[in-house]
């Protein structure tokens, strides 16, 4: 499956950890890890909350699906 989100890359560029993000969202670290490795995708609500916490446009968290 193609990677659908860029959460991992944005976390690195913002110099924050998955542990921090999980704590801020009130989520289990395993959930955030699954999002970061594209094993699972966050809900739109969670994706929005991630964008607010990381101070990025929500579109920056998504990979383009155009070929």
């Amino acid at each position: 499956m193609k990677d659908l989100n860029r959460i991992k890359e944005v976390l690195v560029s913002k110099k924050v950890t998955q542990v921090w993000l999980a704590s801020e969202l009130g989520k289990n670290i395993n959930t955030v890890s699954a999002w970061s490795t594209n094993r699972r995708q966050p809900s739109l609500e969670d994706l929005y909350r991630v964008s607010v916490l990381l101070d990025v446009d929500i579109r920056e968290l998504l990979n383009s699906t155009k070929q």
Side-chain angles (χ1 to χ4, degrees):
M1 175 192 266
K2 181 177 165 89
D3 289 349
L4 298 177
N5 75 60
R6 299 184 57 251
I7 293 173
K8 184 176 183 177
E9 292 90 348
V10 175
L11 287 172
V12 169
S13 73
K14 295 287 185 168
K15 296 181 174 79
V16 296
T17 65
Q18 293 177 23
V19 173
W20 175 85
L21 183 59
S23 174
E24 291 294 310
L25 292 171
K27 300 284 185 184
N28 186 295
I29 181 61
N30 293 327
T31 299
V32 174
S33 177
W35 295 345
S36 296
T37 56
N38 277 278
R39 291 187 315 247
R40 289 183 34 205
Q41 297 304 316
S43 68
L44 289 176
E45 180 180 301
D46 286 331
L47 196 62
Y48 174 76
R49 290 177 62 208
V50 169
S51 73
V52 170
L53 286 169
L54 296 177
D55 192 31
V56 295
D57 188 296
I58 195 169
R59 293 172 289 191
E60 290 184 45
L61 298 175
L62 301 171
N63 279 324
S64 173
T65 57
K66 292 183 179 181
Q67 293 292 356

